[in-house]
Amino acid sequence: ITKFPRRHNQPTAALTADVRALSVDITNTPFGDIDWFWNFGDGNTSTGENPTHSYAATGTYSVELFVRNNIHSWDTLEQEIAVEAILPLTWTGPLQAVHDGKDTWLDWSVANQTGTDHFVVEHALEGRPFLDLGRMAAAGNEAETIDYRFRHPSPEAGTHLYRVRQVDLDGRSTLSSLATVEVGAQFGAYPNPTTGKLTLTGLEVEVRRVEVFDGAGRRLSVVSILANGSIDLSGLRRGHY
């Protein structure tokens, strides 16, 4: 004589699926089960409770779930899951890069931002390889145009190249257009304070003389620049010039 477990002891197979591009997170929602067997409909299986499965191609797949509890009562479920490719993000315009005299600002805009995880700003000096400069999180799944801004603080003098890499949740990526910025040498003087000799840096043109003014804006003298790029202020009194 075979005795079957009573109906109220039978587990109930149920599932929910979160589809992201070609990857599917499947959550098992039955009651009382202890064993699981999944057939993903593409020749792959799993015995995990809440598996994640990546499909090789888009399409509609029939997912089967078998559950069994500790008194060997069981249930099955078959459910179709549609796997669709995410539309690629749209760069709505070229990458913009502007140097404001101190920092360089990068601006870009995107649309159809579905499945985008983050952006990586890549930078290189002319003739050198690109390196990661910074990272920004994406604003979420948005079909409308989203604007982003990134600051590169105090870049050195030279020709700077920038690009932005968009990275999807599944690891795929696309690149923005290339932006180039010329950064001139920054004028400076050292040591400051000085006891006499002051070296000037960042002179983009040949300068032979320098005018010296006091705190009230009065011109006190015209000083010649020495061969090593320095000026002699030893003849001035102590003060601010």
Side-chain angles (χ1 to χ4, degrees):
I1 299 175
T2 302
K3 291 185 178 181
F4 292 95
R6 289 180 297 177
R7 179 68 183 174
H8 68 264
N9 289 327
Q10 180 181 4
T12 301
L15 64 90
T16 59
D18 178 19
V19 182
R20 298 177 298 177
L22 300 181
S23 180
V24 180
D25 293 330
I26 302 178
T27 303
N28 166 52
T29 58
F31 172 76
D33 49 297
I34 59 171
D35 292 320
W36 307 268
F37 180 81
W38 301 85
N39 184 342
F40 298 113
D42 63 347
N44 292 286
T45 61
S46 173
T47 56
E49 181 178 1
N50 299 308
T52 295
H53 180 63
S54 295
Y55 288 91
T58 60
T60 300
Y61 296 88
S62 179
V63 177
E64 298 177 349
L65 169 62
F66 172 87
V67 295
R68 182 180 62 182
N69 62 18
N70 57 356
I71 60 173
H72 301 291
S73 186
W74 54 270
D75 192 21
T76 62
L77 173 69
E78 183 174 348
Q79 181 172 317
E80 289 189 344
I81 294 178
V83 178
E84 300 177 351
I86 291 178
L87 293 175
L89 172 144
T90 301
W91 301 92
T92 59
L95 175 66
Q96 303 290 332
V98 176
H99 186 67
D100 64 5
K102 179 183 178 183
D103 303 326
T104 295
W105 294 91
L106 304 177
D107 292 279
W108 68 93
S109 301
V110 297
N112 298 327
Q113 187 177 278
T114 303
T116 301
D117 185 63
H118 64 275
F119 297 92
V120 178
V121 177
E122 300 178 350
H123 164 262
L125 282 169
E126 190 173 38
R128 299 182 186 178
F130 277 93
L131 299 174
D132 291 353
L133 183 62
R135 173 172 168 161
M136 292 186 67
N141 294 329
E142 296 288 345
E144 299 180 355
T145 299
I146 303 294
D147 299 325
Y148 291 89
R149 166 164 276 205
F150 181 88
R151 180 175 70 97
H152 182 191
S154 304
E156 62 183 283
T159 302
H160 294 257
L161 290 79
Y162 299 91
R163 65 189 185 190
V164 177
R165 182 179 299 276
Q166 166 264 330
V167 182
D168 285 341
L169 292 167
D170 60 6
R172 293 182 297 177
S173 65
T174 60
L175 282 172
S176 72
S177 60
L178 194 67
T180 303
V181 171
E182 294 286 346
V183 177
Q186 302 296 308
F187 176 77
Y190 70 91
N192 185 15
T194 181
T195 57
K197 292 290 180 66
L198 189 68
T199 299
L200 306 179
T201 62
L203 299 176
E204 296 184 355
V205 297
E206 184 178 358
V207 180
R208 297 185 178 181
R209 294 181 178 84
V210 175
E211 295 180 338
V212 180
F213 295 82
D214 64 12
R218 295 171 296 194
R219 190 176 75 170
L220 301 181
S221 63
V222 178
V223 182
S224 297
I225 297 181
L226 304 177
N228 61 359
S230 65
I231 57 177
D232 186 0
L233 302 179
S234 59
L236 298 176
R237 297 180 179 179
R238 297 182 60 178
H240 293 84
Y241 299 92

